[in-house]
DNA sequence: ATGTCAAATGGTATTTGA
């Protein structure tokens, strides 16, 4: 079973890339973030032609998350239950696994109200994760948090910045405290494995990246983790997303 | 602030968000 998470940075702008990706890789379930579409614009038929059932929680101009599965799909939830909730959470049962696609708020800066919202959002995610921990679950997506300094190209650049603050890291490690496993780190505890590079300043060429796209497996799935890899070939194509797809293979 | 990109707007450049 191959499960891939990918922040596509607009599915409208990236449809050709996504379509090509699904045609050339071996993807059972694709967890998508930042579709930047409303539900009416989501290419349900295009996914169906490729053999995928879909569940999209769209908003329009910003955010938007989706799940595409070729191993069955039953809708579970499109909300964490926050007030005035943005389109950042979608859960479905696919091939015997509950998969959850998340787009964690960016936070903008440590003194910005969006930062407090980010921490609150992560707390709600942990509560949701707690209710599902006994099941076979993969929670994956753009966490907008680099879990440790190993996941940051230059930690000195992230002092007093979002994505690497102690509070954000604690909020994400709540998943580990529940027993969820960061799949990449179970497979390889010492390589950076960046998943995102800024479009600006030649960041990709200079490998100035962050590991912020994470796949968390519930305890029952941890022994089935066979491989995790960052699809850097896709990041090197024409008109890429600023995020690379990250793939998880379960036995 | 950024050697960038994408969406929206009454637009043919600017603003916002990342």
């Amino acid at each position: 079973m191959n499960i891939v998470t990918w922040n596509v940075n607009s599915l409208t702008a990236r449809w050709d890339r996504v379509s090509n990706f699904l045609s050339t890789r071996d993807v059972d379930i694709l967890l998508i973030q930042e579709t930047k579409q409303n539900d009416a614009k989501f290419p349900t038929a295009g996914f169906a032609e490729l053999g995928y059932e879909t569940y999209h929680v769209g908003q329009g101009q910003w955010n938007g998350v989706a799940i595409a599965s070729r191993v069955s799909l039953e809708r579970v939830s499109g909300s964490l239950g926050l007030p005035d909730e943005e389109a950042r959470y979608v859960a479905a049962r696919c091939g015997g696994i509950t998969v959850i696609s998340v787009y964690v708020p960016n936070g903008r800066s440590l003194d910005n109200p969006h930062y407090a919202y980010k921490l609150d959002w992560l707390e709600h995610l942990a509560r949701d994760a707690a209710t599902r921990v006994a099941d076979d679950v993969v929670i994956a997506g753009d966490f907008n948090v680099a879990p440790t300094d190993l996941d940051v190209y230059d930690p000195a650049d992230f002092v007093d910045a979002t994505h690497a603050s102690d509070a954000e890291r604690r909020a994400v490690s709540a998943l580990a405290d529940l027993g969820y496993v960061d799949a990449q780190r179970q497979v390889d505890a010492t390589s950076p494995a960046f998943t995102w590079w800024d479009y600006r300043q030649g960041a990709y060429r200079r490998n100035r990246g962050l590991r912020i796209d994470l796949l968390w497996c519930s305890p029952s799935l941890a022994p089935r983790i066979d491989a995790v890899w960052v699809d850097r070939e896709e990041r090197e194509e024409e008109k890429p997303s600023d995020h690379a797809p990250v793939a998880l293979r379960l036995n």
Side-chain angles (χ1 to χ4, degrees):
Chain A
M1 173 87 86
N2 289 328
I3 301 172
V4 177
T5 182
W6 190 9
N7 179 326
V8 298
N9 185 18
S10 171
L11 189 54
T12 310
R14 216 69 60 208
W15 170 247
D16 288 349
R17 291 244 54 87
V18 172
S19 172
N20 176 76
F21 182 81
L22 291 175
S23 302
T24 55
R25 270 70 162 183
D26 183 19
V27 181
D28 293 302
I29 304 168
L30 180 62
L31 307 181
I32 306 169
Q33 300 88 40
E34 281 208 270
T35 62
K36 296 185 178 179
Q37 292 173 327
N38 57 33
D39 291 336
K41 203 167 178 189
F42 184 79
T44 306
F47 279 108
E49 281 173 30
L50 294 165
Y52 292 83
E53 294 177 76
T54 51
Y55 181 12
H56 179 229
V57 175
Q59 182 178 322
Q61 179 179 4
W62 307 119
N63 311 313
V65 286
I67 295 167
S69 170
R70 68 177 185 191
V71 289
S72 79
L73 187 154
E74 263 179 72
R75 297 182 179 212
V76 172
S77 172
S79 165
L80 274 179
L82 288 102
D84 300 320
E85 188 164 347
E86 298 176 329
R88 299 178 176 275
Y89 173 99
V90 61
R93 190 77 177 171
C94 304
I97 296 175
T98 297
V99 291
I100 304 176
S101 176
V102 300
Y103 177 44
V104 177
N106 175 287
R108 300 187 187 177
S109 61
L110 299 189
D111 57 357
N112 192 294
H114 288 85
Y115 179 75
Y117 177 66
K118 180 180 195 174
L119 296 179
D120 186 45
W121 198 95
L122 283 167
E123 199 177 309
H124 279 78
L125 180 66
R127 271 184 227 155
D128 181 74
T131 68
R132 305 183 191 280
V133 68
D135 205 343
D136 291 335
V137 181
V138 174
I139 304 170
D142 178 0
F143 276 75
N144 271 316
V145 177
T148 73
D149 279 353
L150 177 63
D151 304 309
V152 180
Y153 64 87
D154 183 357
D157 277 8
F158 283 83
V159 175
D160 295 327
T162 59
H163 293 62
S165 72
D166 289 342
E168 288 164 89
R169 286 175 169 171
R170 276 197 303 274
V172 171
S173 68
L175 296 177
D177 296 341
L178 290 167
Y180 286 85
V181 171
D182 179 344
Q184 172 68 54
R185 284 294 167 244
Q186 172 161 303
V187 169
D188 181 345
T190 57
S191 302
F194 299 146
T195 65
W196 171 86
W197 300 261
D198 200 307
Y199 284 122
R200 295 170 288 189
Q201 298 176 291
Y204 184 79
R205 177 177 50 77
R206 298 156 69 201
N207 198 28
R208 290 168 67 87
L210 301 176
R211 189 176 75 92
I212 54 176
D213 297 273
L214 312 176
L215 293 135
W216 291 88
C217 294
S218 62
S220 59
L221 288 182
R224 291 176 55 189
I225 298 172
D226 183 40
V228 181
W229 65 99
V230 180
D231 198 321
R232 292 183 67 140
E233 285 182 23
E234 171 56 39
R235 183 62 177 77
E236 290 165 13
E237 293 282 357
E238 289 295 313
K239 301 290 281 181
S241 169
D242 46 354
H243 296 254
V246 187
L248 161 69
R249 185 164 66 232
L250 294 174
N251 286 321

